[in-house]
Coordinates of all heavy atoms in Angstrom, one line a residue:
G1 N 0.8 -1.2 0.0 CA 0.0 0.0 0.0 C 0.8 1.3 0.0 O 0.5 2.2 -0.7
T2 N 1.9 1.3 0.8 CA 2.7 2.6 0.9 C 4.0 2.6 0.2 O 4.7 3.6 0.1 CB 3.0 2.9 2.4 OG1 3.7 1.8 3.0 CG2 1.7 3.1 3.2
G3 N 4.3 1.4 -0.4 CA 5.6 1.3 -1.3 C 6.8 1.3 -0.5 O 6.9 0.7 0.6
Y4 N 7.9 1.9 -1.1 CA 9.2 1.8 -0.5 C 9.2 2.6 0.8 O 8.6 3.6 1.0 CB 10.3 2.4 -1.5 CG 10.6 1.4 -2.6 CD1 10.0 1.6 -3.8 CD2 11.4 0.3 -2.5 CE1 10.2 0.8 -4.9 CE2 11.6 -0.5 -3.5 CZ 11.0 -0.3 -4.8 OH 11.2 -1.1 -5.8
I5 N 10.1 2.1 1.8 CA 10.1 2.6 3.1 C 11.3 3.6 3.3 O 11.5 4.1 4.4 CB 10.1 1.6 4.2 CG1 11.4 0.7 4.0 CG2 8.9 0.7 4.2 CD1 11.6 -0.3 5.1
Y6 N 11.9 4.0 2.2 CA 13.0 5.0 2.3 C 12.8 6.1 1.4 O 12.2 5.9 0.3 CB 14.4 4.3 2.0 CG 14.4 3.5 0.7 CD1 14.8 4.2 -0.5 CD2 14.2 2.2 0.7 CE1 14.9 3.5 -1.7 CE2 14.3 1.5 -0.5 CZ 14.6 2.2 -1.6 OH 14.7 1.5 -2.8
E7 N 13.3 7.3 1.6 CA 13.1 8.5 0.9 C 14.1 8.7 -0.3 O 13.8 9.1 -1.3 CB 13.1 9.7 1.8 CG 12.9 11.0 1.1 CD 13.0 12.2 2.0 OE1 12.7 12.0 3.3 OE2 13.3 13.3 1.5
I8 N 15.3 8.2 0.0 CA 16.5 8.4 -0.9 C 17.1 7.0 -1.2 O 17.5 6.4 -0.1 CB 17.5 9.4 -0.4 CG1 16.8 10.8 -0.1 CG2 18.7 9.5 -1.4 CD1 17.8 11.7 0.6
D9 N 17.4 6.7 -2.4 CA 17.9 5.3 -2.7 C 19.4 5.4 -2.5 O 20.1 6.4 -2.3 CB 17.4 4.8 -4.0 CG 18.1 5.5 -5.2 OD1 19.0 6.3 -5.0 OD2 17.5 5.3 -6.3
Q10 N 20.1 4.3 -2.8 CA 21.5 4.1 -2.6 C 22.3 4.9 -3.6 O 23.5 5.2 -3.4 CB 21.9 2.7 -2.6 CG 21.9 2.0 -4.0 CD 20.6 1.4 -4.4 OE1 19.5 1.9 -3.8 NE2 20.5 0.5 -5.3
N11 N 21.7 5.4 -4.6 CA 22.3 6.3 -5.6 C 22.0 7.7 -5.4 O 22.2 8.5 -6.4 CB 21.9 5.8 -7.1 CG 22.4 4.4 -7.3 OD1 23.5 4.0 -7.1 ND2 21.5 3.6 -7.9
N12 N 21.4 8.0 -4.3 CA 21.1 9.5 -3.9 C 19.9 10.0 -4.8 O 19.7 11.2 -4.9 CB 22.3 10.3 -4.0 CG 23.3 10.0 -2.9 OD1 22.9 9.8 -1.8 ND2 24.5 10.1 -3.3
H13 N 19.0 9.1 -5.3 CA 17.9 9.5 -6.0 C 16.7 9.6 -5.1 O 16.5 8.7 -4.3 CB 17.6 8.6 -7.2 CG 18.6 8.6 -8.2 ND1 19.0 7.4 -8.9 CD2 19.5 9.6 -8.6 CE1 20.0 7.7 -9.8 NE2 20.3 9.0 -9.6
I14 N 15.9 10.7 -5.1 CA 14.7 10.8 -4.3 C 13.6 10.0 -4.9 O 13.4 10.0 -6.1 CB 14.3 12.2 -4.2 CG1 15.4 13.1 -3.5 CG2 13.0 12.4 -3.4 CD1 15.1 14.6 -3.4
M15 N 13.0 9.2 -4.1 CA 12.0 8.3 -4.5 C 10.7 9.1 -4.8 O 10.3 9.9 -4.0 CB 11.6 7.2 -3.5 CG 12.8 6.3 -3.1 SD 13.3 5.3 -4.5 CE 12.0 4.2 -4.7
P16 N 10.1 8.9 -6.0 CA 8.8 9.6 -6.3 C 7.7 9.1 -5.4 O 7.7 8.0 -4.8 CB 8.5 9.1 -7.8 CG 9.2 7.8 -7.9 CD 10.5 7.9 -7.1
H17 N 6.7 10.1 -5.2 CA 5.6 9.9 -4.3 C 4.8 8.6 -4.6 O 4.3 7.9 -3.8 CB 4.7 11.0 -4.3 CG 3.5 10.9 -3.3 ND1 3.7 11.0 -1.9 CD2 2.3 10.7 -3.5 CE1 2.6 10.8 -1.3 NE2 1.6 10.7 -2.2
E18 N 4.7 8.3 -6.0 CA 4.0 7.1 -6.3 C 4.6 5.8 -6.0 O 4.0 4.7 -6.2 CB 3.6 7.2 -7.8 CG 4.7 7.2 -8.8 CD 5.2 8.5 -9.1 OE1 4.9 9.5 -8.4 OE2 6.0 8.7 -10.1
K19 N 5.9 5.9 -5.6 CA 6.7 4.7 -5.2 C 6.9 4.6 -3.7 O 7.2 3.5 -3.2 CB 8.0 4.7 -6.0 CG 8.0 4.6 -7.5 CD 7.6 3.2 -7.8 CE 7.6 3.0 -9.3 NZ 7.2 1.6 -9.7
A20 N 6.8 5.8 -3.0 CA 7.1 5.8 -1.6 C 6.3 6.8 -0.9 O 6.5 8.0 -1.1 CB 8.7 6.0 -1.4
R21 N 5.3 6.4 -0.2 CA 4.4 7.4 0.5 C 4.7 7.4 2.0 O 4.6 6.4 2.7 CB 3.0 6.9 0.3 CG 2.0 7.9 1.0 CD 0.6 7.7 0.4 NE 0.1 6.4 0.3 CZ -0.4 5.7 1.3 NH1 -0.5 6.2 2.4 NH2 -0.8 4.5 1.0
E22 N 5.2 8.5 2.5 CA 5.5 8.8 3.9 C 6.5 7.7 4.4 O 6.3 7.0 5.4 CB 4.3 8.8 4.8 CG 3.3 9.9 4.4 CD 2.1 10.0 5.3 OE1 2.0 9.1 6.1 OE2 1.3 10.8 5.0
P23 N 7.7 7.6 3.7 CA 8.7 6.6 4.1 C 9.3 6.9 5.5 O 9.5 8.2 5.8 CB 9.7 6.7 3.0 CG 9.7 8.0 2.4 CD 8.2 8.3 2.5
Y24 N 9.6 5.9 6.3 CA 10.1 6.1 7.6 C 11.6 6.4 7.6 O 12.1 7.2 8.4 CB 9.8 5.0 8.6 CG 10.3 5.2 10.0 CD1 9.5 6.0 10.8 CD2 11.4 4.6 10.5 CE1 10.0 6.2 12.1 CE2 11.9 4.7 11.8 CZ 11.1 5.6 12.6 OH 11.6 5.8 13.9
Y25 N 12.3 5.7 6.7 CA 13.8 5.9 6.7 C 14.2 6.9 5.7 O 13.6 7.0 4.6 CB 14.4 4.5 6.3 CG 14.2 3.5 7.4 CD1 13.1 2.6 7.3 CD2 15.0 3.4 8.5 CE1 12.8 1.7 8.4 CE2 14.8 2.4 9.5 CZ 13.7 1.6 9.4 OH 13.4 0.6 10.4
K26 N 15.2 7.6 6.1 CA 15.7 8.8 5.2 C 16.4 8.2 4.0 O 16.1 8.7 2.8 CB 16.6 9.7 6.0 CG 17.1 10.9 5.2 CD 15.9 11.9 4.9 CE 16.3 13.1 4.3 NZ 15.2 14.1 4.1
K27 N 17.4 7.3 4.2 CA 18.2 6.9 3.1 C 18.6 5.4 3.1 O 18.8 4.8 4.2 CB 19.5 7.7 3.2 CG 20.4 7.5 1.9 CD 21.6 8.3 1.9 CE 22.6 8.2 0.8 NZ 22.4 7.2 -0.2
L28 N 18.5 4.8 2.0 CA 19.0 3.4 1.7 C 20.5 3.5 1.5 O 20.9 4.0 0.5 CB 18.3 2.7 0.6 CG 18.7 1.3 0.3 CD1 18.3 0.3 1.3 CD2 18.2 0.9 -1.1
V29 N 21.3 3.1 2.5 CA 22.7 3.4 2.4 C 23.4 2.2 1.8 O 24.6 2.4 1.3 CB 23.3 3.6 3.8 CG1 22.8 4.9 4.4 CG2 23.1 2.5 4.8
Y30 N 22.8 1.0 1.7 CA 23.5 -0.1 1.0 C 22.4 -1.1 0.6 O 21.4 -1.3 1.3 CB 24.5 -0.8 2.0 CG 25.3 -1.9 1.4 CD1 26.5 -1.5 0.7 CD2 24.9 -3.2 1.4 CE1 27.2 -2.5 0.1 CE2 25.7 -4.2 0.7 CZ 26.9 -3.8 0.1 OH 27.6 -4.8 -0.6
R31 N 22.7 -1.7 -0.6 CA 21.8 -2.7 -1.1 C 22.6 -3.8 -1.8 O 23.5 -3.6 -2.6 CB 20.8 -2.1 -2.1 CG 19.8 -3.1 -2.7 CD 19.0 -2.5 -3.9 NE 18.0 -3.5 -4.3 CZ 18.3 -4.5 -5.2 NH1 19.5 -4.6 -5.8 NH2 17.4 -5.3 -5.6
I32 N 22.2 -5.1 -1.6 CA 22.6 -6.2 -2.4 C 21.5 -7.2 -2.5 O 20.8 -7.6 -1.5 CB 23.9 -6.9 -1.8 CG1 24.5 -7.9 -2.8 CG2 23.6 -7.5 -0.4 CD1 25.8 -8.3 -2.5
G33 N 21.1 -7.6 -3.8 CA 19.9 -8.3 -4.0 C 20.3 -9.7 -4.2 O 21.4 -10.2 -4.3
A34 N 19.2 -10.6 -4.2 CA 19.3 -12.0 -4.3 C 20.0 -12.5 -5.6 O 20.8 -13.4 -5.6 CB 18.0 -12.7 -4.2
D35 N 19.7 -11.8 -6.7 CA 20.4 -12.1 -8.0 C 21.8 -12.0 -7.9 O 22.6 -12.9 -8.4 CB 19.8 -11.3 -9.1 CG 19.7 -9.8 -8.7 OD1 20.0 -9.4 -7.6 OD2 19.2 -9.0 -9.6

């Protein structure tokens, strides 16, 4: 329902409102995926 829980991704891009509504965390500082 509310999308991503961070406001800024690991590349310093601000998440658009349609992807992240009222995120709790300011910044995703690190990411590594299953792939």
Side-chain angles (χ1 to χ4, degrees):
T2 57
Y4 288 98
I5 59 174
Y6 54 86
E7 181 181 333
I8 303 171
D9 71 12
Q10 72 275 22
N11 298 316
N12 291 318
H13 297 148
I14 298 176
M15 301 297 290
H17 183 72
E18 63 270 17
K19 294 288 184 181
R21 180 161 48 80
E22 299 180 359
Y24 183 76
Y25 295 93
K26 184 68 175 182
K27 185 173 182 359
L28 178 68
V29 296
Y30 189 83
R31 177 190 185 276
I32 188 163
D35 46 0

